[in-house]
């Protein structure tokens, strides 16, 4: 078992930002199309952070042209260039799946202010 | 010689490959194996190598026992087993396995086989003993569909009809409940994900038969083109 942990540790990024449910993030993803590589930005609210070790991921939700879009990002994936946290949210649960059924004002999240 | 090795399944994990995809990986630990016997057409009627894996360490002599075990037996082997290794002049090993090789192959007894034989992308046949499932019903054991759970169905997971009434007996080989698992299983499409020569590890893509700690034998079917 120790060997497996060692192998996983080699791939874990040391600089994964502390981002959790309620936070608004900008995820920079490396996209390669036609042999070229460019960086695409996906901005939205983190509605869940799940799994652990190399499999750790976040689900980011945003509204695109009135349609809800959710993407799962593996935090330790080499395809992720960087993750910026633009806003901290104050929420009382770990999974914000209730946001899926809501639009507009109902999807607001209180901002968390460090005291 | 055909690349082959005996290893121990350590467990599974997932790792990122070169293109950044998360891939399911089985970790197999393979200490250097040693050729213990070379079987030839002349002596045995067929051509093969017998390979020993996992060194059987010499245990301490028990203090004050009436019938002290001989030095040979203290490897956890009995005298004929130990004698086989003495004759070969190699170390003592816990597991022995035979691999068929072509007649022209010149491999000598004592030749070491390591994970370095393998390359990422190689296609392997991995043989192990599957996990025991105990006494299993036909739905689990033979993938019968079973019947409705609801709608007044009073039969759920039974085998139902065992065949026509005319032959007046059940044909052999028809699915019945019984012991499942614990059989020798070979998976013939496993690819090498990575070779860790430093730690003697083979990382294989996907699952491999057996529980963690199970001994698996690995044989190369096709060489890969370098990267997996």
């Amino acid at each position: 078992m120790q060997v497996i942990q060692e192998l996983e540790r080699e791939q874990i990024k040391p600089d994964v930002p502390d981002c959790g449910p309620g936070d608004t993030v900008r995820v920079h993803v490396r996209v390669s199309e036609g042999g070229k590589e460019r960086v695409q930005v996906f901005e939205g609210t983190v509605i869940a952070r799940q799994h652990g070790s190399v499999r750790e991921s976040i689900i980011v939700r945003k509204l695109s042209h009135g349609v809800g879009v959710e993407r799962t990002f593996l935090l330790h994936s080499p395809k992720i260039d960087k993750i910026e946290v633009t806003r901290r949210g104050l929420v009382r649960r770990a999974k914000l799946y209730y946001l899926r059924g809501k639009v507009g004002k109902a999807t607001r999240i209180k901002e968390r202010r460090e005291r | 010689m055909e690349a082959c090795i005996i290893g121990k399944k350590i467990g599974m994990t997932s790792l990122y490959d070169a293109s950044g995809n998360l891939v399911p990986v089985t970790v197999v630990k393979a200490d250097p194996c040693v050729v213990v016997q070379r079987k030839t057409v002349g002596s045995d009627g067929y051509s093969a190598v017998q390979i020993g894996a996992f060194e059987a360490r010499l245990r301490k002599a028990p203090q004050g026992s009436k019938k002290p075990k001989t030095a040979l037996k203290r490897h956890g082997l009995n005298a004929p087993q130990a004698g086989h290794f003495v004759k070969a002049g190699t170390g003592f090993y816990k597991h022995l396995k035979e691999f068929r090789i072509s007649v022209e192959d010149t491999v000598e007894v004592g030749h070491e086989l390591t994970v370095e034989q393998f390359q990422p992308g190689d296609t392997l046949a991995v043989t192990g003993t599957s996990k025991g499932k105990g006494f299993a019903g036909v739905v689990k054991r033979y993938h019968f569909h079973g019947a409705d759970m609801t709608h007044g169905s009073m039969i759920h997971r039974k085998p139902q009809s065992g065949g026509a009434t005319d032959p007046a007996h059940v044909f052999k080989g028809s699915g019945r409940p019984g012991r499942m698992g614990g059989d020798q299983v070979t998976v013939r499409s496993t690819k090498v994900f990575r070779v860790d020569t430093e730690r003697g590890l083979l990382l294989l893509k996907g699952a491999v038969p057996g529980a963690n700690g199970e001994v698996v034998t690995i044989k190369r079917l096709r060489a890969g083109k370098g990267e997996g």
Side-chain angles (χ1 to χ4, degrees), chain A residues 1-12 53-56 74-79, chain B residues 10-22 27 29 193-194 196 199 201 203 212:
Chain A
M1 285 320 273
Q2 228 177 343
V3 177
I4 288 177
Q5 278 158 10
E6 269 172 42
L7 288 167
E8 287 181 357
R9 214 176 298 140
E10 284 163 17
Q11 293 203 334
I12 284 177
S53 189
V54 280
R55 288 165 293 274
E56 193 165 19
L74 290 154
L75 291 177
H76 298 283
S77 165
K79 279 182 187 169
Chain B
I10 292 180
M12 285 194 76
T13 178
S14 34
L15 295 173
Y16 294 101
D17 66 7
S19 49
N21 297 317
L22 196 60
V27 184
K29 167 94 178 148
F193 177 75
R194 195 198 294 166
D196 193 328
R199 286 178 282 202
L201 300 178
L203 307 193
N212 292 348

